[in-house]
Structure formats: C-alpha cells, structure tokens
C-alpha cells in the first residue's frame, strides 16, 4: 500500500512540478518554462515521477540587458572581487569549474565539448593565471547540467547532461579524462539506463563513484578498474530529480527530497539502502527546485531553499531546525554555494525561478549577510553562476560571461580542520613520485555544492611546493588517495608527482585541501 500510495501521490502532484523529460534532440528556447516534448512511456513509480515535467533550467543565462558601469566594477573590486586578467577564447562562455589535483581549474566552454584550464602564475596567483585549451571530449558530447567528480586516481569523470550542445536531451553519454594523457574516453551508461540527465554524483569514502538517474529512483556505482556499473540503493522515497547529495562524516549521503518533500533521507553504503532522515521543518522547494546542501565544519548541513527559506540538519542529533530566511523575493532555485576556509558559506540568490539579478550572501551558521557581488550579477540568475574554492582559499566565480571573477575574503581558518603532515620524504627529485601521509587530508566538507546540475567536490589533498629563494609556487599532481571521506581522524596517504620543471633547492612543502594548507615541511629539491 505504501508503494501504491506513493504512485498516486506522484501522479497527482506531477502536473504542478518541473524536472526531466525524454525529449531528446529538441532545440530549446532561452525562455524558462518551455513545454517539454513527448511523455516518457515507462511504467511504475519511476514513470509516475517523470510524467508531466514541463520545466527545465534554461540552457542559457538570462539576457544581458544591464550595462556594467565603471563604478559597479570599482565597488566589486573594493569588496574583494577581482577579474582573472586573461581571457580564454570561449565559444559560449565559461560554465562548470572543476579543480584538478595538480592545482589547475578546468572550466567547460558550456554546451560544447571544449575545456580550458586555468593555471596559476609562479607566485600562485589565479588572478594572473593563464588559460590553456585542454583535450576535447568525444565528438557528439557537449553536456550541460551533468554529474561529475575528480576520482581518487586524479581522473575526471562526467556523466549525463540535461542538455547536449544546448538541446534538451537527458543524455546517457559520459566521458572520463586522463590528465596525464590530456585525453577523454567515452564512458557507457549503467545497463538499462536510457537517460542520465542532470544527475547527482558523489565519491564515497572508499573512492567509489556513485551517480543517480535524473528521472527515476535508481543509483549506480562504478567499478573504475573494469569500467562497469552496479545498480545500488533500495527504498528511495522519491525520484532523484533535482535533489543534491551531501557526503556525511560516517560515509552516508544525505538528501532533502524535492518531489517527496518535506521528507529527507540518507543513503547508507554499508547496506545499500535509503532511510529517512526526518521531516523538514519548512518547505524548501519551488518550481520543483531546491538550493545547495552545504556541509559546514561543525557537522551540520545547511540547505538553502528555492522557497526562500532554509533549514539546518544536525548530523550528531539527527534533527532538523529552521534556518534564516532570504530577503523577500530572493531564493536559491538552482544555486551554487561554497564553504570558505573560515566555515562560512557563500551562496547565490535571485528572484523567483531563473530571473535576474543575482545576489551574494554569506551564512555564518546563524544569519545571512548580503555582500557586494561581482559586476555581472545584475545580468545573472543564481542557476547560471558557478563557484569553486581555490587552493588559495579564494572563491572563483563564472557565469557564462568572459568576466571570470575571484573573491578574496577572510584569511581565517575554522579551528582544528587544517591538514597535518606526519610523513613525507625531505629530499625530492624532479619527475619522481612520492608518498605523503597525514590527517585531515580530505577536509571536513566537499566544499562546493549546487544540487543535481553541478558537482564540484574538492575534498582531496593537493601538494604545493614553494621554493625558498624565489618564492615560486609549484603544484604536484596527486593521485591514489587512500581515503575520500570527510572529517575523518584516519591517517590518509596520497602519491604526488614532483614536476619535472620545478626549481631546485631549499623549499617548503604543504598539503592543501579546500583552500586550507598544512604547516609547511622543509624539503630539498635536487
């Protein structure tokens, strides 16, 4: 009866909600709310969850009607926002940002198969960094709103896409990027998955990558060595559509339901089941959207709502409480957030679903504070903005325009969460691989959140070496992390490759995670 009741509930509410469609290959207008195409013909609960889904997140940013003045640029600069000095030759504009384990930020030219990498200059500055065109994804695959993750071996994997080359698709295509070869290889979908779409994704504590099907209750985990999938998870309360996944310290994965609100639930990898995490104190959904689920260093998850309300989940007590409300008329329907090194959350809001202008806020655990925004925000909505924490502790922002901005805020670090090195060789040779061990190498949060449309977790260790004579900064590619869980007291190790072009001599080595660096270790590069 429970299943039958859910089926009727899903059918009854589906006409009011937005989400996925099976309308492959249909051009999409930039106007929100464009009706989808033919209905999916699947049966059962998953079919019910997918019926009558009319609304898609737009493929393009809102029309840029506002002319940015010099005074607006000056205000943004004074507030800590600085544009990246160089500009890549974008076709459509910068979209999803992914921090790689060598310190490079890879940014997709949205709705294309092209990627550009931003490398910091010799002083470690991303503001003065340079763009390099990276290897292109397989022809025929240019996704928008997709699952992604940097894996424990340092490779980048991408699956699905609500759009493919800006056409509604819910594609089941995928690709994996090998940074050593600078090449992408096509990845097949889990068996029986005709679509993946704007899927959720997470790397579990043991390094296993898991994705959700955009439009059903199904999840699948990847065996990377064999490149095969295993379907997992039973008991999901509602379809995955529009939900975000947040990794908890015990390895479980939390989500606030969207189609099944006000329920919340968590996935237990040990039992491969979904179980309730309680009832939300307020409705966080609107337009069948929700905002980001940000894990903070104090072991709470703050969920910003598309309704303009928010709620906090205390992982220790397993209870929900209502959080602060956004100003009247502002919400986070499809919106990014990043956790700063001091534990505060930067989150982007905007009015209604998919409208301009965007606004920026900091959440300190109790209150929301409006802060000056990048100069392009009068033309933006929350959905088209991307944020990511850099190894410097700064926040990088992209919104589809050529104006990529970097925010420099407080230099304080939340107490007790910095990585700590326990073992590393003190004599290093260029072009050689070594192992470094220590604690808190995966941080206390995935750091960057959005929901189903964007996954940019940075809870993995980087290695930074600074030459004592010149002050020049070099990042070593890290790989084969022994653990991927957050907030752990385990001793964790990772391998790092000393660049062949590194400067020799006395240097200091740091481990960095989520923009927070360890105490330095003196080393000699020779």
């Amino acid at each position: 009866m429970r299943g039958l009741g859910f089926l009727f509930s899903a059918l009854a509410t589906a006409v009011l909600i937005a989400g996925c469609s099976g309308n492959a290959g249909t051009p999409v207008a930039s106007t929100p709310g464009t009706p989808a195409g033919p209905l999916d013909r699947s049966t059962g609960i998953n079919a019910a969850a997918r019926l009558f889904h009319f609304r898609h997140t737009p493929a393009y940013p809102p029309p840029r009607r506002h002319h940015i003045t010099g005074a607006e640029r000056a205000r943004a600069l004074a507030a800590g926002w600085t544009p990246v000095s160089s500009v890549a030759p974008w076709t459509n504009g910068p979209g999803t940002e992914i921090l790689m384990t060598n310190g490079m930020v890879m940014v997709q030219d949205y709705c294309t198969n092209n990627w550009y990498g931003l490398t910091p200059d010799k002083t470690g500055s991303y503001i003065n960094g340079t763009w390099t065109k990276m290897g292109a994804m397989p022809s025929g695959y240019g996704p928008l709103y997709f699952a992604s993750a940097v894996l424990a071996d340092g490779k980048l994997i991408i699956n699905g896409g609500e759009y493919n080359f800006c056409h509604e698709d819910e594609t089941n295509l995928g690709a994996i990027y090998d940074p050593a070869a600078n090449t992408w290889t096509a990845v097949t979908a889990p068996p029986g998955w005709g679509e993946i779409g704007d899927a959720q994704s997470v790397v579990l504590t043991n390094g296993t990558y898991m994705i959700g099907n955009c439009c059903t209750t199904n999840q699948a985990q990847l065996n990377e060595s064999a490149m095969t999938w295993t379907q997992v998870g039973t008991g999901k309360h509602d379809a995955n559509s529009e939900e975000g996944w947040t990794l908890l310290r015990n390895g479980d994965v939390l989500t606030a339901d969207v189609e099944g609100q006000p329920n919340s639930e968590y996935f237990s990898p040990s039992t491969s089941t979904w179980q309730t995490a309680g009832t939300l104190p307020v409705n966080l959904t609107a337009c069948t959207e929700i905002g980001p689920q940000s894990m903070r260093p104090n072991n709470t998850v703050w969920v910003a709502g598309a309704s303009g309300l928010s709620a906090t989940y205390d992982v220790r007590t397993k209870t929900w409480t209502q959080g602060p409300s956004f100003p009247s008329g502002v919400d986070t329907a499809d919106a990014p957030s990043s956790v700063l090194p001091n534990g505060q959350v930067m989150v982007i809001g905007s009015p209604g679903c998919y409208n301009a202008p965007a606004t920026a806020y900091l959440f300190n655990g109790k209150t929301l504070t409006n802060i000056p925004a990048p100069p392009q925000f009068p033309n933006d909505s929350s959905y088209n903005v991307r944020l990511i924490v850099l190894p410097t502790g700064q926040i990088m922002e992209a919104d589809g325009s050529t104006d990529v901005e970097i925010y420099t805020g407080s230099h304080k670090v939340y107490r007790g969460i910095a990585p700590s090195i326990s073992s590393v060789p003190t004599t290093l040779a260029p072009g050689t691989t070594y192992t470094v061990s220590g604690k808190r190498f995966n941080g206390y949060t995935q750091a960057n959140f959005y929901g189903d449309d964007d996954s940019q977790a940075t809870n993995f260790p980087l290695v930074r070496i600074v030459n004592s004579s010149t002050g020049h900064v070099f990042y070593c590619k890290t790989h084969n992390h022994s653990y991927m869980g957050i907030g752990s007291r385990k001793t964790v190790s990772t391998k790092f490759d000393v660049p062949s072009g590194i400067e020799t001599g006395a240097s200091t080595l740091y481990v960095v995670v989520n923009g927070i660096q360890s105490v330095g270790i003196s080393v000699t590069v020779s």
Side-chain angles (χ1 to χ4, degrees), residues 141 146-152 155-160 173-176 187 190 196 199-212 219-224 227-230 232 245 455 484:
Y141 188 39
F146 47 81
S148 61
V150 175
L151 304 175
K155 294 180 180 179
L156 166 62
I157 190 167
I158 288 173
N159 295 97
L173 297 177
I176 189 168
V187 173
I196 295 176
Q200 306 82 353
S201 61
V202 65
V203 176
L204 301 173
T205 58
N206 64 358
T208 299
Y209 172 67
M210 184 173 80
I211 61 172
Q219 300 83 41
Q221 293 179 3
L222 177 68
N223 180 334
E224 188 186 353
M227 291 307 293
T228 57
W229 297 94
T230 300
V232 297
W245 285 351
S455 304
M484 290 294 286

Side-chain angles (χ1 to χ4, degrees), residues 454-478:
D454 192 32
S455 304
Q456 307 162 281
T458 54
N459 58 305
F460 47 80
L462 307 183
V463 170
R464 176 193 293 147
I465 297 177
V466 181
N467 185 274
S468 300
S469 297
T470 65
H472 291 165
V473 176
F474 299 87
Y475 284 95
C476 306
K477 176 192 169 187
T478 59

Side-chain angles (χ1 to χ4, degrees), residues 88-275:
W90 309 104
T91 299
N92 292 335
T96 294
E97 310 153 315
I98 304 288
L99 176 65
M100 302 299 290
T101 67
N102 63 354
M104 173 187 286
V105 181
M106 286 184 59
V107 182
Q108 186 199 20
D109 192 344
Y110 78 86
C111 281
T112 77
N113 62 353
N114 294 322
W115 291 75
Y116 292 90
L118 179 65
T119 303
D121 70 5
K122 288 185 176 182
T123 69
S125 169
Y126 287 86
I127 293 170
N128 297 318
T130 56
W131 294 99
T132 303
K133 188 172 185 180
M134 312 306 293
M137 300 175 77
S139 62
Y141 188 39
L144 176 64
Y145 310 142
F146 47 81
S148 61
V150 175
L151 304 175
D153 60 6
K155 294 180 180 179
L156 166 62
I157 190 167
I158 288 173
N159 295 97
E162 184 174 343
Y163 297 87
N164 196 22
F165 294 101
C166 279
H167 290 71
E168 291 178 13
D169 198 336
E170 309 295 2
T171 181
N172 70 351
L173 297 177
I176 189 168
Y177 175 74
D178 182 351
N182 190 28
T183 56
W184 294 83
T185 303
V187 173
T188 58
W193 286 26
E195 54 193 359
I196 295 176
D198 49 340
Q200 306 82 353
S201 61
V202 65
V203 176
L204 301 173
T205 58
N206 64 358
T208 299
Y209 172 67
M210 184 173 80
I211 61 172
N213 187 304
C214 69
C215 308
T216 73
T217 60
N218 299 329
Q219 300 83 41
Q221 293 179 3
L222 177 68
N223 180 334
E224 188 186 353
S225 61
M227 291 307 293
T228 57
W229 297 94
T230 300
Q231 189 151 303
V232 297
T234 57
K236 185 74 172 65
H237 178 71
D238 63 351
N240 298 310
S241 180
E242 306 305 327
E243 295 177 1
W245 285 351
T246 302
L247 185 66
L248 306 182
R249 292 184 188 178
N250 66 354
D252 293 343
V253 179
L254 178 74
T255 187
D257 288 348
V258 174
E259 293 184 1
Q261 70 86 23
N263 186 60
S264 67
E265 51 191 325
Y266 66 91
F267 173 79
S268 170
S270 61
T271 62
S272 191
T273 60
W274 288 91
Q275 302 175 49

